[in-house]
Amino acid sequence: MADGTPRSRFDLLTRMRAGDELDLDDHDPGETFGWEKEQAQATVKEEVAALAELQTRLFAEGERALLVVLQAMDAGGKDGLIRTVFTGINPAGVRVTSFGVPSDTELAHDYLWRIHPACPARGQIGVFNRSHYEDVLVVRVKGLVPEDRWRRRYEHIRAFERLLVDEGTAVVKLFLNISKEEQRERFQDRVDSLDEQWKFRRGDLEDRALWPQFMDAYREALAETSTDDAPWYVVPGDRKWVRNLAAAHILHDVLERLDPRYPEPEEGLDGLVIT
Ligand code: AMP
Ligand code: MG
């Protein structure tokens, strides 16, 4: 914003929320929401501390779970986001699962077969680095299954996520939205740095060449599956500090609304002296 007034958490959430008529052109990857870098980084630190406290309560309560689904194009910042936002959270309560190209065994089953066992247990936070959404994204763009088959998956996915929600798992989904130019710069940095070359595969360029097709697939998948129970947020991805702030706000919001409580202690502990 021109006056430099940083947007509130509520305002950010509202602007990032994907509706059922999603237009990705309404979501600028370079958005700052009126924030400055230093200010945002300081706020992220506070948010991460708040998340750690809420996660402790979720874990202690042991009744509900949180599933965070992360999707992005290559170099979209999923790993960096996980590193920043889950720093300081008790590792016993978080599990990150990455979903890559399915194995032969996985391909011999339905596409949700590998997903369900990775969903978080009560008290836990599960983070998906890629997810069942690949089965309506890359699978669609590369024509890995016929259209009539992947198209029916939107409905399966809505039902699957409703099942998770009904049974006590909050579900929140983040699309890290980078521009094609930002991906070019990040790829170039990877190629140019000996420490980062391992992150780059020539095959990444095939997906890059299909950028418009991937954006169409994202637009439709998000619109089809962003529900009140399991909403999608379009997180501006070109600036890492905006991405981190936005994601921290989303997670803070969902955990705050869950409002996990410490269980009642056993009776008669007051004044108990341990000998
Ligand atoms: P990365 O996240 O860079 O390790 O790459 C994982 C790769 O696995 C990406 O290119 C994904 O598109 C691909 N992938 C993930 N899930 C599927 C799937 N269900 N079918 C085909 N490719 C997939
Ligand atoms: Mg990759």
Side-chain angles (χ1 to χ4, degrees), residues 74 99-102 114 130 134-135 138-139 144 201 207:
D74 278 313
F99 293 99
V101 178
R114 64 173 181 165
R130 303 188 189 274
E134 293 291 330
D135 293 284
V138 69
V139 163
L144 302 180
R201 289 173 295 116
D207 289 358

Side-chain angles (χ1 to χ4, degrees), residues 71-75 78-79 98-102 106-107 111 114-115 129-139 142 144 153 190 199 201 203-204 207 214:
Q71 283 291 157
M73 295 296 283
D74 278 313
K78 294 183 271 81
D79 299 283
S98 299
F99 293 99
V101 178
E106 287 167 346
L107 283 175
Y111 65 99
R114 64 173 181 165
I115 303 294
N129 184 338
R130 303 188 189 274
S131 65
H132 44 301
Y133 284 95
E134 293 291 330
D135 293 284
V136 290
L137 294 166
V138 69
V139 163
K142 299 242 173 108
L144 302 180
R153 293 179 173 176
R190 288 180 177 187
K199 292 188 195 171
R201 289 173 295 116
D204 292 345
D207 289 358
F214 269 102

Side-chain angles (χ1 to χ4, degrees), residues 20-269:
D20 53 13
E21 298 250 325
L22 177 68
D23 186 349
L24 279 178
D25 289 341
D26 295 339
H27 297 266
D28 175 7
E31 176 69 78
T32 64
F33 299 117
W35 285 77
E36 304 282 343
K37 186 173 178 180
E38 281 74 32
Q39 188 189 28
Q41 285 172 328
T43 304
V44 166
K45 285 207 177 113
E46 292 170 16
E47 289 288 82
V48 167
L51 287 175
E53 149 76 14
L54 283 159
Q55 184 248 352
T56 302
R57 280 160 49 187
L58 187 78
F59 186 79
E61 182 193 76
E63 298 284 345
R64 274 98 41 91
L66 172 62
L67 173 62
V68 182
V69 172
L70 299 178
Q71 283 291 157
M73 295 296 283
D74 278 313
K78 294 183 271 81
D79 299 283
L81 174 69
I82 293 168
R83 232 181 297 118
T84 307
V85 174
F86 292 97
T87 296
I89 288 195
N90 178 358
V94 184
R95 177 156 66 124
V96 180
T97 308
S98 299
F99 293 99
V101 178
S103 67
D104 288 345
T105 309
E106 287 167 346
L107 283 175
H109 293 80
D110 70 82
Y111 65 99
L112 290 175
W113 181 79
R114 64 173 181 165
I115 303 294
H116 210 166
C119 290
R122 299 182 200 290
Q124 301 274 321
I125 297 178
V127 183
F128 284 179
N129 184 338
R130 303 188 189 274
S131 65
H132 44 301
Y133 284 95
E134 293 291 330
D135 293 284
V136 290
L137 294 166
V138 69
V139 163
R140 164 186 178 159
V141 171
K142 299 242 173 108
L144 302 180
V145 309
E147 173 164 359
D148 61 336
R149 225 172 110 199
W150 61 253
R151 205 162 263 296
R152 286 197 295 268
R153 293 179 173 176
Y154 297 137
E155 196 183 332
H156 307 155
I157 290 173
R158 286 192 296 263
F160 174 65
E161 293 176 355
R162 192 170 345 108
L163 172 147
L164 295 177
V165 171
D166 285 350
E167 294 292 324
T169 298
V171 179
V172 67
K173 302 174 292 197
L174 278 60
F175 169 47
L176 311 186
N177 185 29
I178 58 165
S179 63
K180 194 174 178 198
E181 171 57 17
E182 180 66 20
Q183 189 196 51
R184 188 193 65 72
E185 286 176 29
R186 291 184 189 180
F187 275 177
Q188 191 68 59
D189 288 347
R190 288 180 177 187
V191 171
D192 292 344
S193 152
L194 290 180
D195 290 344
E196 293 197 24
Q197 281 178 353
W198 63 272
K199 292 188 195 171
F200 184 80
R201 289 173 295 116
R202 275 180 215 276
D204 292 345
L205 296 179
E206 290 170 23
D207 289 358
R208 176 170 169 77
L210 295 166
W211 189 276
Q213 289 88 333
F214 269 102
M215 290 307 114
D216 281 345
Y218 268 108
R219 188 177 307 113
E220 188 169 332
L222 268 60
E224 287 282 346
T225 62
S226 195
T227 61
D228 286 342
D229 281 342
W232 271 107
Y233 291 95
V234 181
V235 173
D238 280 3
R239 293 179 169 87
K240 294 173 183 173
W241 54 271
V242 177
R243 172 198 78 204
N244 293 339
L245 176 74
H249 276 341
I250 293 166
L251 298 181
H252 191 167
D253 179 70
V254 63
L255 280 170
E256 196 170 74
R257 277 184 293 113
L258 280 183
D259 192 22
R261 304 292 174 98
Y262 290 112
E264 287 293 319
E266 279 181 40
E267 279 186 36
L269 290 185

